[in-house]
Structure formats: C-alpha cells, structure tokens
Amino acid sequence: MLYKYQDYQESCEVIRDIIGDFQPETALILGSGLGFLADEVEAPVYVPYNYVPHFKGSTAPGHKGRFVFGKFCGKNVVFMQGRLHCYEGYEMEEVAFPIRVMKLLGAEKLVLTNAAGCVNREWNPGDIMLISDHIRLFGFSPLTGPNIPEFGTRFNDQSEVYDAGYRRIAAEEAEKLGITLREGVYMFFPGPSYETPAEVRAARVLGADAVGMSTIPEAIFASHAGMKILGFSLLSNMAAGVQNKKLSEEEVLEAAQASSEHFSALVRACIPKM
Ligand code: HPA
C-alpha cells in the first residue's frame, strides 16, 4: 500500500484551504478531447496537481493537470482537467488517488470520460458509448493492500459500478439531443502501446465493446467509497485489427477532438439531472 488515510486527509486539507467552504457535489474526470469543458466552469478556482501533497503530476498529451472547482450547469462541481495513467509509470493506487480526495471534499457523484478503441464491429469511430460495466483482468486493483475502512469494505460489491439510474438519464438525454448512444463494456489495457489485433479479438471474446488505458482505477476507488458513477467512452478509432489500418496517436487525438461537440453536449445535459 502506498497511501494511508492520513495522506488523503492532508491532500484534502491543502485543497480546503484554497477553496474555502465550497462543496463540490459532482466530480468529473475529463479524458482526451474533453478538457475544454473545464473552461466553461463559472467562478473557477484552479488547484494544480503539483500543489497538492502526495499527488503525482499528469504527463499524458492533452492532459493539463489541475482541479477546477466552480459552478457548471447549475451544480457545484470539481473537474479533473487531465488524469493520470498507469503507463506514465504510476501504480493503480496513485492513478486513483484523487478520487478519494474528491470524496473527502464532498463529491458523492462521479462522471468518468475517456477516449477508447472500438471493439464492437457494429459501431463506428466517433460513436459515444455509455459504460455499462468493465473488465479489469490485468494489473492489480487500486484496492490491493490493507483496506482503509474509512472509505469502504474489504470485499466490496461491484454488481452495479455504473449506476443504472444515471444510465437511464444518459439514454434519455442522448435521445433528446438526437445523439446515437451505444452502451457496452469497457476493458482496461495498461498500454502505452495500443493493443495487438489478437488482444482485441481476445477482448471481444471476453465480452468487451471498447478498450482503453484509463477509467477503471478511478471507477474501482469510487465504487468502493460508495460514489455513484456515470461513465462515457468516446470511441475515437476502431481498435487494432478491426479495420485494415494502423493506429496513430495523432489520429486518435484528432478524432476525439472532432466528436467533442456531441460528447460535451451530452455531458452538459446529464449533469443537472444527476
Ligand atoms: N486502445 C486503447 N486506448 C485507446 C484507444 C485504443 O485503440 N483509442 C483511444 N484510446
């Protein structure tokens, strides 16, 4: 175990000194192509990750590395503009660390977003997938090591990590906006290389609709701590081998940017209903 309960409290206290008595209700982690949403926060208060004790910096392209506290779509929110990934050299627990800090600051609701590769052959690049469940077969859980009972139980239930009520809200809002919303299973791969075609075929056999390198560490910490989660993947590309085409980081980022309008409209519509 890397962190003690006291470490989370210390991080929380440093942030509390900056934000005063502001109570975030909803936390949002902005993945590739969605970082700009944080610029829409009213009366923003910024807290760079490197200002907070025990925090690691974010090094991934397109990830800014700061919290943004303020009002968004009528709600008190905290955005993570940029997240950490295991491929940057961090443990699952380090990647998921900010979740517990945001929980201590008062956030009970969490929106997770990412860009992912599409495994489902029936779907298209640019589609948005509502995450119904996930598969983490590789990499340890961020909960490995002694349990911290202040957050949750040793063997926590994961039958409904992604809240069914939130999923209904997302489906309704997507329909109102005329956005095609897919629903499926996200499978974690540690990266940083994209998957091989054989790994993508294996993921499909196991029941995955999308593959990606994030989100699950945070979802596991949040579900352990009893937070309600809504998760979206922007399917920026068909996963390796689905089409006869190589993957490039630039294309993945560009595709994420190209679909960001739809994606952000859906997130804006869901927040007030959660
Ligand atoms: N694989 C893993 N992560 C990703 C992909 C992918 O194809 N696209 C965007 N993030």
Side-chain angles (χ1 to χ4, degrees), residues 115-117 194-195 211-213 236-237 239 247 252:
Y194 291 118
E195 301 71 29
V211 286
M213 307 173 196
S236 53
N237 55 284
L247 302 191
V252 167

Side-chain angles (χ1 to χ4, degrees), residues 32 87 114-119 186-189 191-195 200 210-214 234-240 247-249 252-253 256:
S32 310
Y87 63 72
N114 61 52
C118 182
V119 172
Y186 177 94
M187 183 165 180
F188 176 80
F189 278 80
S193 307
Y194 291 118
E195 301 71 29
V200 171
V211 286
M213 307 173 196
S214 69
L234 173 59
L235 305 175
S236 53
N237 55 284
M238 296 314 277
L247 302 191
S248 85
E249 181 183 333
V252 167
L253 282 175

Side-chain angles (χ1 to χ4, degrees), residues 167-230:
R167 278 186 270 145
R168 270 194 300 277
I169 290 169
E172 283 164 17
E173 294 306 313
E175 195 174 343
K176 281 190 219 160
L177 289 164
I179 294 173
T180 302
L181 185 64
R182 311 298 189 179
E183 183 164 355
V185 174
Y186 177 94
M187 183 165 180
F188 176 80
F189 278 80
S193 307
Y194 291 118
E195 301 71 29
T196 64
E199 286 166 341
V200 171
R201 286 195 299 276
R204 187 180 299 117
V205 169
L206 292 173
D209 296 290
V211 286
M213 307 173 196
S214 69
T215 301
I216 290 185
E218 296 105 318
I220 293 175
F221 256 17
S223 113
H224 177 250
M227 295 169 81
K228 283 173 73 174
I229 307 174
L230 174 63

Side-chain angles (χ1 to χ4, degrees), residues 6 24 27 47 104 108 114-115 155 172 201 221 227 231 245 265 271-272:
Q6 194 191 343
V47 182
L104 288 179
E108 295 289 343
N114 61 52
F155 300 107
E172 283 164 17
R201 286 195 299 276
F221 256 17
M227 295 169 81
K245 194 169 158 229
I271 297 289

Side-chain angles (χ1 to χ4, degrees), residues 103-124:
K103 162 87 185 181
L104 288 179
L105 288 167
E108 295 289 343
K109 305 169 185 178
L110 176 65
V111 182
L112 291 167
T113 66
N114 61 52
C118 182
V119 172
N120 190 316
R121 289 200 193 89
E122 312 288 313
W123 301 347
N124 303 302

